[in-house]
Amino acid sequence: MFTSIVAAALMMNFADSGAIHSVKEVSLHPIENHLIERTNSERTRRGLPALEIDLNLVKSARNHAAWMTRTHTLRHTGLAVAENIAMGQSNSAEAMHSWMNSSGHRANILSGGHRKIGVAAYTTPGGTIYWCQQFE
């Protein structure tokens, strides 16, 4: 059993907060929005364009984060997308810090070829958060 990101933020004392933003039919939870903002901040500081939030990538990232949470498995999808995954970080700042200190994950975040992003974060009943970023 797993808990969605909405319940996760209520259950845990996250440093992330703020309004939920909508992208077409998908509402972004504040923790998702903060992860995208942090990603785009890293990009724009280096002269790269901000990534657009993509409905399909958000859905895909959520599906994969939910699967990882349900199965307690940290594993990449087999999809044709660039992907960063992580587990155990307690907020989006920690997740970004982990990724930016890993050459492969950092390369995904800073790739000039990427224009779109989708993200998700789900937590287990025990409090472990699984993170997913997908890029195209």
Side-chain angles (χ1 to χ4, degrees), residues 86-100:
M87 65 173 270
Q89 296 80 358
S90 63
N91 57 53
S92 60
E94 287 182 15
M96 280 300 297
H97 180 76
S98 293
W99 287 328
M100 291 303 290

Side-chain angles (χ1 to χ4, degrees), residues 88-136:
Q89 296 80 358
S90 63
N91 57 53
S92 60
E94 287 182 15
M96 280 300 297
H97 180 76
S98 293
W99 287 328
M100 291 303 290
N101 285 298
S102 162
S103 61
H105 295 106
R106 181 183 176 99
N108 280 340
I109 291 166
L110 301 179
S111 172
H114 297 149
R115 296 290 181 253
K116 300 175 188 176
I117 189 171
V119 302
Y122 282 72
T123 188
T124 66
T128 301
I129 302 174
Y130 286 82
W131 302 85
C132 183
Q133 286 183 312
Q134 293 183 347
F135 307 91
E136 286 184 336

